[in-house]
Structures are given as C-alpha cells and as structure tokens.
Amino acid sequence: MLKVGVIGGGSISAFHIKPYVENVEVELVALCDKNAERLASAGELYGVSGLYSNYEDLLGNPEIDAVSICTWNNTHAEIAIASLEAGKHVLVEKPLSMTVEQALAVEEAVKKSGKILQVGFVRRHGDNTKILKQFIDSGEFGEMYYAKASCIRRLGNPGGWFSDQSKSGGGPLIDLGVHMIDICWYLMGKPRPVSVSGNTYSKLGNRSNIKNLTFYQAADYDAALNNVEDLANALIRFDNGASLFVDVSFTLHAKEDELYAKLFGEKGGAEIEPQLAMVTEKNNTILNITPQIDNLSFDFEKAFANEINHFVDCCIEGKETIAPVADGVQIMKMLNAVYESAKTGKEVYL
C-alpha cells in the first residue's frame, strides 16, 4: 500500500486526489495547504485526517511514501528537492521549475535520492496519445520531421497567480505552451533541441473590461495584477533536422479559441488535437483515417487518472516513468530559451 500526501489545495489538486482515493493500491494520508479553510474542507470531503499547513511538517511524516506537488510554479523545484531529500517519491505538476538551473538541481536531487520523480505532462497519458504513439513507434508514419501546435484563447487570462510573474514564471507559454511543446516533442521521439527563435507580446493585458463573454478566473483573481505575456510563439529546431512551431495566447483578437497539434512524417501524418486523426498513402492514394475508439479527443479527467495510476505503479514496482526528470529539464531549456530569444531579439542556441 502506497501512502501518499498531496501538497497544495488549488483546483488542480482535485485531479490528483480523486484518482489516489480510487486506487486500491493507495492510502491518501495527508493534505497540505496554507489556506486553513480550504484545507479543512478538503480533509472532510476526502476523509483525510492528516492535515498540514506547511509542507515541511508533512515531509517529516515517515509514513508517507510519495507526494504530489500541486503548488505555484515558483515552489515546484524547492518542494520537489525537499521531498526527495526526505525520501519521498515525487509527482510534480508542470512546469518542473522556473529556471533551467532549478531544473538541473532537481535532477541532481533525483540522482542522489534514488527516488522516482514524475513530471506532470498529463497529455502524455491521454488514451488518444497512447494510441497514436503506438502507430508512430511502429514506423507507420516514418521519420517525424515537422510539428506545429497552437493553443489560442481569445479571452482566457485566469488572473490570480497565473498572471503574477513572481509566482508563475510567465503567462501562456509556461502555462499552455509547456503542454503543446511537450506533447509534440514526445511524439516526435524527443530529439535534442539545438536552437530556439521566439517572440512574446504584452499588448492587451487581461482585458478585464470585456463584458458579455465569460472566462475562467482563478480563485485569487485580481484585475489590477497582470505582468505576464499575452501571446508567445516559437520555432524550435532539433539535432535530427526536425522542427516545431508553436503559438499560445491568454488573450488575442481572434475570431474564436483554437487548439490543435499536428505532426508530419515521411510516410504519413497525424493530428492529436482537437481529435485524433491520421493521414497516409495506400495504392497511390492519400487516405484520411479516423480510428474507431471511444474518445478521439483528450479526456482531461481520464488522462489525470492514467497519470496518477502510472505514477503509483512506478513507485510500487520501481519502474521508470514515461515522464522522467530529464524530460522536465529539456522542456525547461526550451521554455526559457523562448523567453530569452524574445527578450534579446536573437535566436538562442542550446
């Protein structure tokens, strides 16, 4: 029985807690949050008596085998390292850290501890992703040499800590772009990034003046606080000659929201967003293929359940996670390079 604690009680924590509660191999023994009212409410809801107002006390509990870190981005590295040093396995929400230096420090702590650290790249755990990866790994599409991904919100700045640079580390790039870059890179076979050319724009703010169109607002939403970018785009080149183009926004004068991730290979191509679709050639004819599966789209809750269950299996069986710390480091290198390129107006070489 794996005994688990969850650190951080924000909205994302529920997507960790519920799968833990439902997993017969897990006992959820501790929750941690600075907000006393929210902590008490979660403890009552999930039947957890081990309630902590600071993570150090939780980590001091020798019964706890593993933790999920669901806190602000600026605390991910700090809490991950402390957890590893306390002898706990770690599932840390994306991004792994705020800087490459922090990511490397976490990687070193993983090596010293011998414990498992899994980065919360939840889209890797989608059922549609698993199916597509089987086709790619079997050579169905040949060499995957180009991908492009977009996650455009016309009005979708959550505000709160998401819009506070000191807590989030950035705006749509580090919040949404991390997912889009990761899922493409993962499906392309994780080639080594060699250069990044990026741009960021802060033109529209959080557009709190807009009426008659609702959008998600964080619990600590403050219309006066917003110092992150509105939009980011980037072209990433890899050592095998492949390339990836991505653009993401919290707010943009777009006709509608847009979400897609497309990959192109020598023998075929595929889309993973908004729905799984494949393209190939047979008998000198181009074919668009629609897999007959339960859900062609990304199922948010199911993917989180898959992610949590995979983490539990890795902890219990000692096997390697499909989202290891090394991948978190590489993604941080790409994200930080986009920001650096945007700041300097020059291509950044990794």
Side-chain angles (χ1 to χ4, degrees):
M1 184 68 72
L2 190 74
K3 295 188 177 182
V4 174
V6 175
I7 302 172
S11 58
I12 202 67
S13 66
F15 292 98
H16 288 243
I17 293 171
K18 291 177 182 177
Y20 281 134
V21 171
E22 294 170 359
N23 191 311
V24 296
E25 300 291 335
V26 171
E27 181 182 355
L28 183 64
V29 299
L31 300 174
C32 176
D33 196 84
K34 291 182 177 180
N35 186 311
E37 183 178 344
R38 185 165 62 184
L39 179 62
S41 178
E44 182 177 356
L45 177 62
Y46 298 109
V48 178
S49 59
L51 304 179
Y52 298 85
S53 60
N54 66 78
Y55 73 85
E56 294 94 343
D57 289 343
L58 183 148
L59 296 178
N61 184 342
E63 288 190 350
I64 296 174
D65 304 305
V67 297
S68 269
I69 300 173
C70 305
T71 56
W72 296 332
N73 295 348
N74 64 338
T75 63
H76 286 182
E78 169 193 321
I79 299 175
I81 291 171
S83 300
L84 292 164
E85 291 176 345
K88 319 298 185 187
H89 299 297
V90 174
L91 171 52
V92 56
E93 264 298 333
K94 59 77 190 171
L96 175 61
S97 59
M98 294 259 280
T99 67
V100 174
E101 290 74 21
Q102 290 174 348
L104 291 170
V106 175
E107 185 175 40
E108 183 62 25
V110 171
K111 292 176 181 177
K112 288 182 178 179
S113 70
K115 295 296 179 179
I116 290 165
L117 183 138
Q118 179 174 309
V119 185
F121 296 135
V122 69
R123 288 185 177 270
R124 296 190 183 193
H125 300 272
D127 289 341
N128 55 353
T129 303
K130 293 179 181 179
I131 291 169
L132 178 55
K133 192 170 189 306
Q134 290 175 342
F135 277 82
I136 293 174
D137 290 348
S138 67
E140 186 73 24
F141 307 114
E143 179 189 353
M144 307 301 287
Y145 60 88
Y146 178 52
K148 61 178 182 177
S150 184
C151 185
I152 298 299
R153 292 180 184 169
R154 63 190 305 204
L155 181 69
N157 186 327
W161 73 269
F162 290 95
S163 298
D164 184 345
Q165 176 80 26
S166 67
K167 296 176 181 176
S168 65
L173 178 65
I174 205 165
D175 183 44
L176 308 175
V178 61
H179 282 306
M180 307 314 293
I181 292 171
D182 177 70
I183 195 60
C184 290
W185 179 64
Y186 174 67
L187 290 170
M188 295 173 82
K190 302 193 294 189
R192 184 175 66 83
V194 294
S195 69
V196 175
S197 182
N199 302 279
T200 60
Y201 299 91
S202 300
K203 300 290 188 179
L204 305 180
N206 59 16
R207 298 172 79 188
S208 58
N209 62 297
I210 296 296
K211 300 178 180 179
N212 308 312
L213 187 62
T214 58
F215 63 97
Y216 168 75
Q217 296 183 357
D220 56 342
Y221 182 84
D222 178 359
L225 176 61
N226 181 72
N227 58 6
V228 299
E229 78 276 6
D230 304 332
L231 167 74
N233 62 37
L235 176 65
I236 303 171
R237 293 184 174 90
F238 301 99
D239 63 346
N240 63 352
S243 58
L244 164 63
F245 178 78
V246 61
D247 62 350
V248 290
S249 74
F250 272 170
T251 185
L252 189 68
H253 284 305
K255 179 182 177 182
E256 58 188 5
D257 290 353
E258 187 173 25
L259 174 66
Y260 69 74
K262 305 177 182 182
L263 300 104
F264 306 93
E266 292 177 306
K267 295 161 58 178
E271 297 183 4
I272 190 67
E273 292 285 0
Q275 290 187 326
L276 178 59
M278 304 179 192
V279 180
T280 189
E281 289 182 21
K282 299 292 182 184
N283 298 323
N284 302 317
T285 302
I286 296 174
L287 302 177
N288 291 345
I289 302 171
T290 303
Q292 300 304 294
I293 59 177
D294 288 335
N295 194 347
L296 289 168
S297 301
F298 178 72
D299 186 327
F300 197 80
E301 289 194 27
K302 181 62 161 47
F304 265 102
N306 291 344
E307 178 183 51
I308 296 300
N309 292 337
H310 175 68
F311 175 61
V312 171
D313 289 344
C314 290
C315 292
I316 292 175
E317 300 173 16
K319 63 183 183 182
E320 185 176 359
T321 171
I322 66 168
V325 66
D327 290 5
V329 173
Q330 287 286 49
I331 292 295
M332 283 312 305
K333 287 181 179 180
M334 288 184 262
L335 293 174
N336 278 200
V338 176
Y339 284 126
E340 182 181 348
S341 176
K343 182 178 180 180
T344 61
K346 299 178 182 179
E347 189 167 19
V348 172
Y349 294 90
L350 302 172

